[in-house]
Amino acid sequence: MGKINAIITGVGGFVPDYILTNEELSRMVDTNDEWIMTRVGIKERRILTEEGLGTSYMARKAAKQLIQKTGVDPDTIDALIVSTSTADYHYPSTASIVLGKLGLKNAFAFDTWAACCGFLYTLDLATSMIQSGRYKKIIVIGADKMSSVTDYKDRSTCPLFGDGAAAVLLEATEEENIGVMDSYLRTDGKGLPFLHMKAGGSVCPPSHFTVDHRLHYTYQEGRTVFRYAVTNMSDDCAIIAERNGLNKDNLSWVVPHQANMRIIEAVAKRLEMPMEKVMVNIERYGNTSAATIPLALWEYEQKLKKGDSLILTAFGAGFVHGAMYLKWAY
């Protein structure tokens, strides 16, 4: 028996219908389209507005589309993993809700929590599970309802975030030189002061005080986060490229986390990649956290061909960061 590796065999995605434009945001806070576009490159973002619907709804929609597109038998799915920072509930896991709604009979499900780097970390984890030989088919979902943790009175953060979900099917293969080839993942534990939610966890449980003082929203020191993101994503990509002999001539695509257009451009410049070989959809979706990378794959799927070399890279709260080398399988 040959060496087992993991390949992506399909992508499904979902974004809500409601479009929150910069023009509408400028009526809520002191901002405007030019300011937002110049600093972050976001024109609009999708928002899940329906009452009583959370991250699991979008994750389920993405996974359902994935199952339909690939034609995979749901009973053959071994595991379903949802990466999210905006779980429906503290418990049970969002993944368990998705699994229940999809009716997967032979799978187990759990959530991972690594902020905007969650999809990357989870894809690496699921790859290891498949390489172990114990699992053959795993659904990996990145999904976040960032509108639920965004303060629409804070002009510095409210233009940044949107809602969305995307799912990939990861399968075992013995074919050589295809699938997840390499990854470089790191965590810098010094990131807490610069990007976090101040209340709602076990350190500072919800109370009248925390609600009154608007402590249940994303807090970010933008300049510091920007600097760390540019440095780490660029360095991580450079390490992966050097380790695997990748350069602008043999690299097909860069798939960066969609947090800020200037970060994306800095990463592309470091790799000497032209922007037409960089997957970008930030202008229409904003930062959907764990969903940004799979949503980019979903949107660009038609442009991908078997054997294409991709570098995926992300950065998030923690700080968590990393890059992955992937060879497209279909």
Side-chain angles (χ1 to χ4, degrees):
M1 195 168 115
K3 186 171 172 252
I4 299 168
N5 198 18
I7 52 171
I8 290 174
T9 56
V11 193
F14 175 82
V15 288
D17 292 332
Y18 186 80
I19 297 171
L20 176 59
T21 63
N22 288 347
E23 201 267 326
E24 189 177 344
L25 270 181
S26 67
R27 297 199 296 269
M28 296 156 70
V29 289
D30 180 20
T31 191
N32 59 64
D33 179 68
E34 188 194 5
W35 191 89
I36 297 168
M37 284 299 292
T38 304
R39 279 160 182 77
V40 289
I42 300 167
K43 198 93 179 159
E44 54 191 45
R45 61 292 290 146
R46 300 298 184 101
I47 306 293
L48 186 64
T49 55
E50 289 85 350
E51 197 77 29
L53 294 181
T55 298
S56 71
Y57 171 78
M58 298 186 293
R60 173 167 56 92
K61 287 280 200 181
K64 197 168 182 183
Q65 187 193 80
L66 172 71
I67 290 167
Q68 287 168 346
K69 271 171 73 174
T70 57
V72 66
D73 178 355
D75 291 348
T76 64
I77 303 294
D78 297 309
L80 181 145
I81 314 170
V82 174
S83 182
T84 186
S85 303
T86 53
D88 285 23
Y89 307 97
H90 274 305
Y91 46 84
S93 70
T94 302
S96 67
I97 299 167
V98 175
L99 177 143
K101 296 275 191 187
L102 291 173
L104 305 184
K105 296 186 183 69
N106 300 311
F108 67 102
F110 60 95
D111 289 357
T112 59
W113 201 348
C116 298
C117 214
F119 180 78
L120 214 55
Y121 277 27
T122 310
L123 196 58
D124 189 72
L125 171 68
T127 295
S128 300
M129 290 167 67
I130 281 177
Q131 287 171 338
S132 76
R134 291 173 62 191
Y135 310 100
K136 293 195 166 50
K137 293 176 185 174
I138 300 174
I139 291 176
V140 177
I141 305 172
D144 270 299
K145 185 183 174 182
M146 291 305 292
S147 63
S148 67
V149 292
T150 299
D151 185 352
Y152 288 98
K153 291 184 176 178
D154 177 7
R155 64 178 293 226
S156 65
T157 58
C158 73
L160 306 178
F161 300 106
D163 303 339
V168 300
L169 180 60
L170 208 59
E171 294 194 58
T173 185
E174 287 185 33
E175 188 179 342
E176 292 181 5
N177 203 30
I178 203 84
V180 178
M181 307 301 290
D182 191 14
S183 60
Y184 177 85
L185 307 174
R186 291 294 183 270
T187 301
D188 175 354
K190 300 188 207 74
L192 171 64
F194 310 110
L195 181 52
H196 60 275
M197 189 193 292
K198 294 181 178 181
S202 59
V203 166
C204 184
S207 66
H208 283 293
F209 179 87
T210 65
V211 172
D212 292 345
H213 288 78
R214 307 183 74 79
L215 302 182
H216 294 266
Y217 296 116
T218 300
Y219 168 81
Q220 174 173 274
E221 288 183 23
R223 282 205 179 102
T224 306
V225 173
F226 177 87
R227 197 172 69 247
Y228 269 92
V230 167
T231 303
N232 286 303
M233 284 171 66
S234 299
D235 287 353
D236 297 350
C237 287
I239 288 165
I240 279 286
E242 195 178 332
R243 245 173 25 186
N244 295 280
L246 298 169
N247 55 52
K248 63 180 188 298
D249 300 319
N250 59 16
L251 190 55
S252 312
W253 294 96
V254 178
V255 194
H257 169 53
Q258 311 283 309
N260 184 312
M261 195 61 203
R262 290 186 298 159
I263 297 173
I264 294 169
E265 287 167 350
V267 170
K269 190 176 176 186
R270 176 72 179 271
L271 288 170
E272 299 180 342
M273 287 289 280
M275 284 306 292
E276 55 266 25
K277 290 171 85 174
V278 181
M279 294 190 189
V280 180
N281 60 15
I282 187 172
E283 189 171 324
R284 286 174 296 114
Y285 298 139
N287 182 351
T288 54
S289 193
T292 69
I293 288 177
L295 271 176
L297 293 173
W298 175 60
E299 283 218 301
Y300 280 78
E301 187 184 16
Q302 299 304 318
K303 296 186 178 184
L304 292 166
K305 55 188 188 295
K306 185 168 181 174
D308 275 358
S309 299
L310 284 67
I311 288 183
L312 283 49
T313 184
F315 177 90
F319 294 126
V320 290
H321 58 94
M324 176 181 279
Y325 169 35
L326 181 73
K327 289 200 85 170
W328 202 248
Y330 63 96

